[in-house]
Amino acid sequence: MSQANDHPNINPLREGLSTRAVPQPCSVVIFGATGDLTHRKLIPALYNLAADGDLPPAVAVVGFARREKTDGDFRKELEESTRKFSRQPVRDEIWNTFAQAVYYHQSDFSDEAGYKSLAERLDKIDTERGTRGNRLFYFAVAPDQFEPIVKHLKAAGLNEACEGSWARVIVEKPFGTDLASARELNRVVRSSFSEEQTYRIDHFLGKETAQNILVLRFANAIFEPLWNARYLDHVQITASETLGVEGRAGYYEGAGALRDMVQNHLLQLLCLIAMEPPTDLSADSIRDEKVKVVRSLRRMTKEDVAINALRGQYAEGAINGKPVVGYRAEQNVDPKSITETYVALRLFIDNWRWSDVPIYLRVGKRLPKSGTEISIHFKKAPLVLFNKEATTLDQNVLVIRIQPDEGISLRMQAKMPGTSFRIEPVKMDFHYGTSFGKASPEAYERLLLDAMSGDATLFARRDEVEEAWLFIDPIEQAWHSKKDAPPLCFYPSGSWGPEEADELLAREGRIWRRL
Amino acid sequence: MPATAENYSPGLSVEVAKIDKELKKLWAQNEGALTRASLINLAVYSEAPGSLDKNTQLISKIARDHACRAIVIGADRNATENRVEAWISAHCHVSRAGTKQICSEQLSFLLEGPCANLLPSIVFSHLDSDLPLHLWWQGEFHDPMDPQLWAWVDRLIYDSHDWENFDAQMRLVETAQHEAKERVVLCDLNWTRLDKLRFAVAQFFDHPASHHHFGTIESARIDFAPGFRSTAVLLAGWLGAQLNWKIETAKRGNNFTFADANGRKIDITLNERDGEPVSQIVLTSKGIEFVVSHAKGADLFEVWRGKAGEKCTHQLMPAGNNDPVMLVSDELNRGGPHRVYLHAINCVRELL
């Protein structure tokens, strides 16, 4: 009848209350606690979880950073930023209770003593707040800081938990800048934390619509039989933004759009679209299938890069009627920079399902509209019945909008009313915001909760990351080779990218989908 | 445009036979400006005087989060003359994206006299096709219940708190469910009322290190407001069912005893006092108290555990409230079966 005593580790009082894994009490230690990510995303996410009752009461947050400040100062700063960035209004009584469990720990990342005192402080918090010896370390710092942090955590014995408790680490992107650096980063993290303890966060996977891709594909019988090379013409994945480099020039100059967006976010979306059905919904079953997709990506030679990959950089132009400067004129950007702000790729997955189905990815800054979407273009119906003059049949297109205005639409053909036989495309549209009044949690809320629950499904595994770099590296190398490097194309801000990107599709009679 | 305004009257009066035509007209007039949305059919049935206006108000709030085709029925079975009237209206609000008006349509019916028995025919002929039917039945069920109706219902929403004779009413519901081949999910708002409280209690025992308390809980004290004894008993039933306790003394009073599989006794005390339906529960195990207490004047619980009289850290958790809009919204959000509810009922049936 009930679960009591049948499963010693299951709380029988949880039965029927929630379908998700239960987050455990823990201390969340944020390295880089004074940074933007902490203020804009992490603390607002934790506050929202607390306000919605999803956070166990026994959760403490310890900010670890170099600057001198007291717990009180830290709480005050966080309150201000949470009021600004929280998705729901901050309620004083909830904030005050939440803030009681927020602490600041001042130390340099390379100061061994700082970690010893952190360990003592965490033990004290365990006693006072019932956090049960569970620790979640969040690296909201640049990758070059990982090594000292990881090393000192290990030296202080914080990488291992006591019996019945756990220690986990969340690593923010970028996961390296190429395969070698990714392997090095993984080596550094692995020197103290096992793969099971490591959670590589890609916030795209925390978005409701990204999670819905698996539901759409595997909970609906109508799509999967058509989801293969026999019926699909091609796939487009677009991530466009109106923003320029903003204040991130320091990072972006060394990264570029390929590393910043394609290696992680876009390839993760591609995996969800292209993967085979997993044997179950466990983290490793899903990630096993995802990694097979990345592994099956056809690697590009230097010649292939010239044909199938295109890079661009925004020049001056206008966004929403307002003039904007070109990338090279942005603050802290080299006036001769060859960093790409736009990438278009034509790629193939060499497996049975996707044989010779082109997949087009494009990502860019300073484009006319912000949006991320995946469009699945089906082959045209045979022109046997309707191939009369002035009748051009369009393709069926299934569009999955990741952001904004999350939803799904299906374009199909319909006869226009009247005595003539005119066929026009029509669209069936599903909007999350229209059908479901309830707002989705922010991606970071979902992902933090998953990490506290030990559910790594929405986090990237080491082999996924490394395989992705194996695909990306030849493109980067070709673009930066001294001899015969494909040119960097320029596009005016506010346009849909370089004209050469249209050519990538036009030579096969295709066009980019209009967003 | 009176039919789509945010008001609490049933809307535009229409002939029953012309409802579909009038609905089409309503949407055609506003094409482009309004988007119709519907995820469920939500039928609401009440025999209380003035229920059409009251339920229209509730639907206008529920539809903000749950796009639906609402079918609101006000019935007076005791009237001698037959009378059927119908209205159509729409509840619109600006979407989260802030660009569109999203609307749920409402069909309202007043059924008086013997024609109140036409309920199944009225409901079935106006369902939005392919969408599940949730029937919110307000008040007491009649004996016998119309099997034709239950065959189509996916989720039956009711509030056992309103029932005078729990046992008789529950048997009617269970018979209906049986006749519907167990397809109907029973959704008792009196159980939904306990959701957040159960959540707050359950979290004390999430960590395996606290599971030993399941075998050592000695007592539970539950404070309930006048009129909400059944809610408190359901809460005790939940603990009993989930922890494999059996009722030892089946008296309808406010003190009773469970026994666990080893014969150990667990004393339950129900304490009536003004406030929220269930304002506090205290579980005691080996001198440690696990307390969930409704914070005064707020929709929050204070939760804490510790030795009696000792200072310990209080946390806050959402408590929700007893508003029918919230309760129904929570129920619509949840979905899925209610097996635990049925276990809880069976554990304390004779006390309800």
Side-chain angles (χ1 to χ4, degrees), chain B residues 268-287:
Chain B
I268 309 292
T269 308
L270 307 184
N271 182 29
E272 185 173 316
R273 71 167 201 201
D274 285 338
E276 298 296 325
V278 174
S279 52
Q280 189 176 63
I281 176 167
V282 181
L283 298 175
T284 309
S285 165
K286 289 183 173 171

Side-chain angles (χ1 to χ4, degrees), chain A residues 204-273:
Chain A
F204 258 52
L205 292 180
K207 290 181 185 293
E208 200 79 65
T209 348
Q211 293 164 47
N212 193 42
I213 294 172
L214 293 187
V215 177
L216 175 84
R217 287 191 57 199
F218 302 129
N220 294 292
I222 58 169
F223 297 118
E224 201 51 24
L226 307 178
W227 212 265
N228 55 55
R230 190 167 173 195
Y231 298 102
L232 297 183
D233 179 71
H234 73 281
V235 174
Q236 295 184 18
I237 303 180
T238 300
S240 64
E241 51 184 337
T242 54
L243 293 178
V245 73
E246 309 302 308
R248 297 171 67 218
Y251 156 74
Y252 203 83
E253 270 284 89
L258 188 67
R259 290 179 177 132
D260 185 45
M261 290 291 289
V262 179
Q263 185 273 341
N264 37 65
H265 304 324
L266 265 66
L267 288 188
Q268 285 289 344
L269 292 180
L270 173 64
C271 287
L272 294 175
I273 285 295

Side-chain angles (χ1 to χ4, degrees), chain A residues 1-18 22-25 50-59 91 93-94 97-98 100-101 128-129 132 134 164-165 405-406 430-440, chain B residues 35-39 64-67 93 95-97 100 102 194-195 198-199 201-211 214 238-246 283 298-300 303 305 313-318 333-334 339-340 343 347:
Chain A
M1 179 159 107
S2 83
Q3 301 166 354
N5 307 324
D6 297 339
H7 304 281
N9 284 330
I10 291 179
N11 173 3
L13 299 182
R14 279 279 175 190
E15 189 184 353
L17 277 175
S18 166
V22 177
Q24 295 288 317
D52 288 347
D54 290 326
L55 206 60
V59 164
R91 289 179 60 175
E93 62 273 44
I94 297 176
T97 311
F98 173 77
Q100 281 170 22
E128 285 174 5
R129 306 206 69 91
R132 303 271 181 186
N134 295 327
S165 305
D405 193 17
E406 303 94 322
F430 157 68
H431 297 259
Y432 263 82
T434 302
S435 296
F436 302 110
K438 194 180 172 197
S440 303
Chain B
T35 300
R36 181 170 42 153
S38 185
L39 288 180
R64 285 184 164 269
D65 280 348
H66 302 277
H93 63 276
S95 72
R96 276 190 280 122
K100 286 184 217 150
I102 310 298
L194 292 170
D195 273 4
R198 291 193 296 128
F199 204 89
V201 173
Q203 57 81 30
F204 284 126
F205 305 100
D206 280 337
H207 199 280
S210 58
H211 289 187
F214 292 139
W238 168 63
L239 289 169
Q242 294 309 106
L243 300 176
N244 286 338
W245 300 342
K246 301 269 182 304
L283 298 175
D299 54 352
L300 295 167
V303 299
R305 54 166 283 172
T313 310
H314 289 212
Q315 303 286 349
L316 294 179
M317 293 187 76
N333 272 334
R334 162 208 281 277
R339 280 188 293 269
V340 176
H343 295 161
C347 187

Side-chain angles (χ1 to χ4, degrees), chain B residues 102-314:
Chain B
I102 310 298
C103 300
S104 289
E105 57 196 10
Q106 178 180 322
L107 319 185
S108 308
F109 297 92
L110 180 66
L111 308 178
E112 287 183 351
C115 69
N117 293 327
L118 296 176
L119 177 67
S121 118
I122 297 260
V123 172
F124 296 162
S125 56
H126 293 100
L127 294 181
D128 206 343
S129 52
D130 281 336
L131 296 179
L133 169 59
H134 296 212
L135 173 58
W136 179 9
W137 191 281
Q138 297 175 344
E140 304 255 334
F141 291 102
H142 304 293
D143 192 7
M145 289 168 76
D146 188 341
Q148 204 195 342
L149 183 61
W150 312 120
W152 283 70
V153 174
D154 294 286
R155 297 180 82 84
L156 175 62
I157 303 170
Y158 53 89
D159 193 343
S160 67
H161 160 256
D162 301 333
W163 294 347
E164 290 214 355
N165 183 340
F166 183 91
D167 197 42
Q169 287 287 304
M170 197 62 205
R171 286 200 191 286
L172 282 175
V173 170
E174 284 169 335
T175 305
Q177 195 200 25
H178 182 66
E179 282 172 357
K181 300 193 169 48
E182 317 294 331
R183 205 178 57 87
V184 183
V185 177
L186 304 181
C187 310
D188 184 351
L189 297 181
N190 207 20
W191 176 248
T192 313
R193 214 167 257 130
L194 292 170
D195 273 4
K196 294 198 166 58
L197 185 65
R198 291 193 296 128
F199 204 89
V201 173
Q203 57 81 30
F204 284 126
F205 305 100
D206 280 337
H207 199 280
S210 58
H211 289 187
H212 65 92
H213 285 293
F214 292 139
T216 54
I217 292 173
E218 298 133 15
S219 65
R221 198 188 74 229
I222 302 171
D223 293 351
F224 66 95
F228 287 92
R229 181 183 172 277
S230 64
T231 320
V233 173
L234 265 181
L235 181 61
W238 168 63
L239 289 169
Q242 294 309 106
L243 300 176
N244 286 338
W245 300 342
K246 301 269 182 304
I247 280 286
E248 190 153 284
T249 50
K251 284 186 294 181
R252 280 179 186 267
N254 284 346
N255 297 302
F256 51 94
T257 309
F258 282 114
D260 72 7
N262 301 320
R264 195 178 53 84
K265 306 268 189 293
I266 301 104
D267 295 321
I268 309 292
T269 308
L270 307 184
N271 182 29
E272 185 173 316
R273 71 167 201 201
D274 285 338
E276 298 296 325
V278 174
S279 52
Q280 189 176 63
I281 176 167
V282 181
L283 298 175
T284 309
S285 165
K286 289 183 173 171
I288 303 214
E289 289 188 339
F290 299 86
V291 185
V292 178
S293 183
H294 212 291
K296 271 193 186 134
D299 54 352
L300 295 167
F301 285 129
E302 279 187 72
V303 299
W304 71 94
R305 54 166 283 172
K307 289 196 172 143
E310 259 185 19
K311 197 183 166 204
C312 43
T313 310
H314 289 212

Side-chain angles (χ1 to χ4, degrees), chain A residues 391-462:
Chain A
T391 302
T392 50
L393 279 192
D394 222 330
Q395 290 171 310
N396 294 122
V397 183
L398 178 73
V399 178
I400 301 165
R401 289 185 303 274
I402 306 293
Q403 61 180 17
D405 193 17
E406 303 94 322
I408 296 165
S409 70
L410 179 64
R411 189 171 68 180
M412 54 194 171
Q413 311 303 319
K415 180 187 171 298
M416 291 282 283
T419 52
S420 66
F421 219 94
R422 194 170 146 212
I423 296 172
E424 287 291 328
V426 292
K427 199 163 83 167
M428 287 201 310
D429 226 349
F430 157 68
H431 297 259
Y432 263 82
T434 302
S435 296
F436 302 110
K438 194 180 172 197
S440 303
E442 290 276 328
Y444 276 96
E445 293 174 35
R446 165 73 200 242
L447 294 170
L448 281 165
L449 215 51
D450 281 358
M452 288 179 201
S453 316
D455 181 353
T457 310
L458 300 178
F459 295 84
R461 207 169 55 186
R462 182 178 63 87

Side-chain angles (χ1 to χ4, degrees), chain A residues 13-57:
Chain A
L13 299 182
R14 279 279 175 190
E15 189 184 353
L17 277 175
S18 166
T19 53
R20 57 156 301 126
V22 177
Q24 295 288 317
C26 63
S27 293
V28 182
V29 183
I30 304 174
F31 292 92
T34 52
D36 220 29
L37 183 70
T38 306
H39 282 75
R40 280 174 178 265
K41 295 289 182 189
L42 302 183
I43 297 297
L46 288 166
Y47 167 78
N48 280 312
L49 289 171
D52 288 347
D54 290 326
L55 206 60

